[in-house]
Amino acid sequence: MKHFLSVQDMTAKDMIDLLEMAQSFREEEIRITKQVFAANLFFEPSTRTKSSFIIAEKKLGMESLEFNVESSSMKKGESLYDTAKTFEAIGANVLVVRHEADDWANELKDKIAIPIVNGGAGTKAHPTQSLLDADTIYQEFGTFENINIVIAGDIKHSRVAKSNAEMLTKLGANVYFTCAPDFQDKNLDYPYITMDEAVEIGDVLMLLRIQHERHNEFSSSTVNYHENFGLTIEREKRMKNHAIILHPGPVNRGVEIDSDLVECERSRIFKQMSNGVFVRMAVLTTQLLNWGIIDEYHIEKRNNNCRGQSVSNMRFAN
Ligand code: ASP
């Protein structure tokens, strides 16, 4: 069985299927009728990802298990593996995990017998973020073909940059990076352009926060960052008419983006957050179906008129 761990494991069809399922969830209330427990194991801070997983779980009728790293047995020296194994043993049906180690998934993936969903892996991967970004772009343009997407910021330390570049390329978009010299990642093979070029060619400008918590030393690139590498009011004026701004959050206003642009007309930053709930509902449901934890008869529309309609009759049957 396949966990939901990285973009590498997914085909473009898998991604489009999930986006279509997310769209179904936006249009109809869906509920899993079987008791299903989700454990949200977040070892790194999170506002949007953790909360939207919990809302996704609750909207589906699942039960979300509490886990707080500060009051957990991790404080007594328990490992990530033993924590995950414990939740499996006590009856969790799915694990959502975020951890600072790039490769935490390798430690778990062959030893845990319930689906694991990656909620963030160090500097390496954040596949549900990419899916919700893809969802937002697809809603806007209805295609990925010939869409220029510029990912701007701390490319080297950002898991969002890596998962997004891979997913959006697989979906057919043209992906570019722009960043301060210190933040380039030489292992990634995407064209680097300047921020001034980015605002001219981008249909989507995706801004990223400087990942200070992952820096080992002070970077001089962070000095005058906004003027040199950020989206200033002046640069925004040079963007294409239809171009949109994305940001996974948290936003550092006045650094990577001028504060007044966070909610400007072309910003889809809060739309991304709303989309995150539906995309995560789709990921959780797909995992539960693929692992045989639920079947199509455990999924009902909540609308009384069509109560009992099974998932197989719906657009996202797979
Ligand atoms: N929230 C995103 C992440 O978890 C982006 C960030 O923290 O800058 O990677």
Side-chain angles (χ1 to χ4, degrees), residues 79-114:
S79 67
L80 168 63
Y81 170 72
D82 286 325
T83 306
K85 202 72 194 160
T86 299
F87 275 94
E88 179 192 331
I90 63 177
N93 301 104
V94 54
L95 303 180
V96 180
V97 180
R98 167 176 289 191
H99 194 280
E100 67 188 16
D102 282 2
D103 291 316
W104 62 257
N106 289 340
E107 205 189 318
L108 303 186
K109 68 178 185 206
D110 298 325
K111 299 191 207 144
I112 299 292
I114 52 173

Coordinates of all heavy atoms in Angstrom, one line a residue, residues 79-114:
S79 N 10.8 7.8 20.6 CA 11.2 8.2 19.3 C 9.9 8.4 18.4 O 8.8 8.1 18.8 CB 12.0 7.0 18.6 OG 11.1 5.9 18.5
L80 N 10.2 9.0 17.2 CA 9.1 9.2 16.3 C 8.4 7.9 15.9 O 7.2 7.7 15.9 CB 9.6 9.9 15.0 CG 8.7 10.0 13.8 CD1 7.4 10.8 14.1 CD2 9.4 10.5 12.6
Y81 N 9.3 6.9 15.6 CA 8.8 5.6 15.3 C 7.9 5.0 16.4 O 6.8 4.5 16.1 CB 9.9 4.6 15.0 CG 9.5 3.2 14.8 CD1 8.7 2.8 13.7 CD2 9.7 2.2 15.8 CE1 8.2 1.5 13.6 CE2 9.2 0.9 15.7 CZ 8.5 0.6 14.6 OH 8.0 -0.7 14.5
D82 N 8.3 5.0 17.6 CA 7.5 4.5 18.7 C 6.3 5.2 18.9 O 5.2 4.7 19.3 CB 8.4 4.4 20.0 CG 9.4 3.2 19.9 OD1 9.1 2.2 19.3 OD2 10.5 3.4 20.5
T83 N 6.3 6.5 18.7 CA 5.1 7.3 18.8 C 4.1 6.9 17.7 O 2.9 6.7 18.0 CB 5.4 8.9 18.7 OG1 6.4 9.2 19.6 CG2 4.2 9.7 18.9
A84 N 4.6 6.8 16.5 CA 3.7 6.4 15.4 C 3.1 5.0 15.6 O 1.9 4.8 15.5 CB 4.5 6.5 14.1
K85 N 4.0 4.1 16.1 CA 3.6 2.7 16.3 C 2.5 2.7 17.4 O 1.6 1.9 17.4 CB 4.8 1.9 16.7 CG 4.7 0.4 16.5 CD 4.8 0.0 15.1 CE 4.3 -1.4 14.9 NZ 3.9 -1.8 13.6
T86 N 2.7 3.5 18.4 CA 1.7 3.6 19.5 C 0.3 4.0 19.0 O -0.7 3.4 19.3 CB 2.2 4.6 20.6 OG1 3.4 4.1 21.1 CG2 1.2 4.7 21.7
F87 N 0.3 5.0 18.2 CA -1.0 5.5 17.6 C -1.6 4.4 16.8 O -2.8 4.2 16.8 CB -0.9 6.8 16.9 CG -1.0 8.0 17.8 CD1 0.2 8.5 18.4 CD2 -2.2 8.5 18.2 CE1 0.1 9.6 19.3 CE2 -2.3 9.5 19.1 CZ -1.1 10.1 19.6
E88 N -0.8 3.7 16.0 CA -1.3 2.5 15.2 C -1.9 1.5 16.2 O -3.0 1.0 16.0 CB -0.2 1.9 14.4 CG -0.6 0.7 13.6 CD 0.6 -0.1 13.0 OE1 1.6 0.5 12.8 OE2 0.4 -1.3 12.8
A89 N -1.2 1.2 17.3 CA -1.7 0.1 18.2 C -2.9 0.5 18.9 O -3.8 -0.4 19.2 CB -0.5 -0.2 19.2
I90 N -3.1 1.8 19.3 CA -4.3 2.1 20.0 C -5.5 2.4 19.1 O -6.6 2.7 19.6 CB -4.1 3.3 21.0 CG1 -3.7 4.6 20.2 CG2 -3.0 3.0 22.0 CD1 -3.5 5.8 21.1
G91 N -5.3 2.3 17.8 CA -6.5 2.3 16.9 C -6.6 3.4 16.0 O -7.7 3.6 15.3
A92 N -5.6 4.2 15.8 CA -5.6 5.3 14.8 C -5.7 4.6 13.4 O -5.1 3.5 13.2 CB -4.4 6.2 14.8
N93 N -6.5 5.1 12.5 CA -6.6 4.6 11.2 C -5.7 5.3 10.1 O -5.5 4.8 9.0 CB -8.1 4.6 10.7 CG -9.0 3.9 11.6 OD1 -9.7 4.5 12.5 ND2 -9.0 2.6 11.6
V94 N -5.3 6.5 10.5 CA -4.5 7.2 9.5 C -3.6 8.2 10.4 O -4.1 8.7 11.4 CB -5.3 8.0 8.5 CG1 -6.4 8.9 9.1 CG2 -4.4 8.8 7.5
L95 N -2.4 8.4 10.0 CA -1.5 9.3 10.6 C -1.2 10.5 9.7 O -0.9 10.3 8.5 CB -0.1 8.7 11.0 CG -0.1 7.4 11.8 CD1 1.3 6.9 12.1 CD2 -0.8 7.6 13.2
V96 N -1.2 11.7 10.2 CA -0.7 12.9 9.5 C 0.5 13.3 10.3 O 0.4 13.5 11.5 CB -1.8 14.0 9.5 CG1 -1.2 15.2 8.7 CG2 -3.1 13.5 8.9
V97 N 1.6 13.4 9.6 CA 2.9 13.6 10.3 C 3.6 14.8 9.7 O 3.8 14.9 8.5 CB 3.8 12.4 10.3 CG1 5.1 12.6 11.0 CG2 3.2 11.1 10.8
R98 N 4.1 15.7 10.6 CA 5.0 16.8 10.3 C 6.2 16.7 11.2 O 6.0 16.6 12.4 CB 4.4 18.1 10.4 CG 5.4 19.3 10.3 CD 4.8 20.6 10.4 NE 4.2 20.9 9.1 CZ 3.7 22.2 8.8 NH1 3.9 23.2 9.6 NH2 3.1 22.4 7.6
H99 N 7.4 16.7 10.6 CA 8.6 16.6 11.5 C 9.7 17.3 10.8 O 9.8 17.4 9.5 CB 9.0 15.1 11.6 CG 10.0 14.8 12.7 ND1 11.3 15.0 12.5 CD2 9.8 14.4 14.0 CE1 12.0 14.7 13.7 NE2 11.1 14.3 14.6
E100 N 10.7 17.8 11.6 CA 11.8 18.6 11.0 C 12.8 17.8 10.2 O 13.6 18.4 9.4 CB 12.5 19.4 12.1 CG 13.2 18.5 13.1 CD 13.8 19.1 14.3 OE1 13.4 20.2 14.6 OE2 14.7 18.5 14.9
A101 N 12.8 16.5 10.4 CA 13.8 15.7 9.7 C 13.4 15.6 8.2 O 12.2 15.3 7.9 CB 14.0 14.4 10.3
D102 N 14.3 15.8 7.3 CA 14.0 15.7 5.9 C 13.4 14.3 5.5 O 12.5 14.1 4.7 CB 15.2 15.9 5.0 CG 15.6 17.4 4.9 OD1 14.9 18.2 5.5 OD2 16.5 17.7 4.2
D103 N 14.0 13.2 6.1 CA 13.7 11.9 5.7 C 13.0 11.1 6.7 O 13.1 9.8 6.8 CB 15.0 11.2 5.3 CG 15.6 11.8 4.0 OD1 14.8 12.0 3.1 OD2 16.8 12.1 4.0
W104 N 12.2 11.7 7.5 CA 11.4 11.0 8.6 C 10.6 9.9 8.0 O 10.4 8.8 8.6 CB 10.6 11.9 9.5 CG 9.5 12.6 8.8 CD1 9.5 14.0 8.5 CD2 8.2 12.2 8.4 NE1 8.4 14.3 7.9 CE2 7.5 13.2 7.8 CE3 7.6 10.9 8.4 CZ2 6.3 13.1 7.2 CZ3 6.3 10.8 7.8 CH2 5.7 11.9 7.3
A105 N 10.1 10.1 6.8 CA 9.2 9.1 6.2 C 9.9 7.7 5.9 O 9.2 6.7 6.1 CB 8.6 9.6 4.9
N106 N 11.2 7.8 5.6 CA 11.9 6.5 5.4 C 11.9 5.6 6.6 O 11.9 4.4 6.5 CB 13.3 6.8 5.0 CG 13.4 7.4 3.6 OD1 12.4 7.2 2.8 ND2 14.5 8.0 3.3
E107 N 11.9 6.3 7.8 CA 11.9 5.5 9.0 C 10.6 4.8 9.3 O 10.5 3.8 10.0 CB 12.1 6.6 10.2 CG 12.8 6.0 11.4 CD 12.7 7.2 12.5 OE1 13.0 8.3 12.1 OE2 12.4 6.8 13.6
L108 N 9.5 5.4 8.7 CA 8.2 4.8 9.1 C 7.5 4.0 8.0 O 6.7 3.1 8.2 CB 7.2 6.0 9.4 CG 7.6 7.0 10.5 CD1 6.4 7.9 10.7 CD2 7.9 6.2 11.8
K109 N 7.8 4.3 6.7 CA 6.9 3.9 5.6 C 6.8 2.4 5.5 O 5.7 1.9 5.1 CB 7.3 4.5 4.3 CG 8.6 4.1 3.8 CD 8.9 4.8 2.4 CE 10.1 4.2 1.8 NZ 10.8 5.1 0.9
D110 N 7.8 1.6 5.8 CA 7.7 0.1 5.7 C 7.3 -0.6 7.0 O 7.1 -1.8 7.0 CB 9.0 -0.5 5.2 CG 9.4 0.1 3.8 OD1 8.5 0.3 3.0 OD2 10.6 0.3 3.6
K111 N 7.2 0.2 8.0 CA 6.9 -0.4 9.3 C 5.6 -0.1 10.0 O 5.2 -0.6 11.0 CB 8.0 0.0 10.3 CG 9.4 -0.4 9.9 CD 10.4 -0.2 11.0 CE 11.8 0.1 10.6 NZ 12.5 1.1 11.4
I112 N 4.9 0.8 9.3 CA 3.6 1.3 9.9 C 2.5 0.8 8.9 O 2.5 1.0 7.7 CB 3.5 2.8 10.1 CG1 4.6 3.3 11.0 CG2 2.1 3.3 10.5 CD1 4.4 2.9 12.5
A113 N 1.5 0.1 9.5 CA 0.5 -0.6 8.7 C -0.8 0.2 8.5 O -1.8 -0.4 8.3 CB 0.2 -2.0 9.3
I114 N -0.7 1.5 8.7 CA -1.9 2.3 8.4 C -1.3 3.5 7.5 O -0.1 3.8 7.5 CB -2.5 2.9 9.7 CG1 -1.5 3.6 10.6 CG2 -3.3 1.8 10.4 CD1 -2.1 4.3 11.8

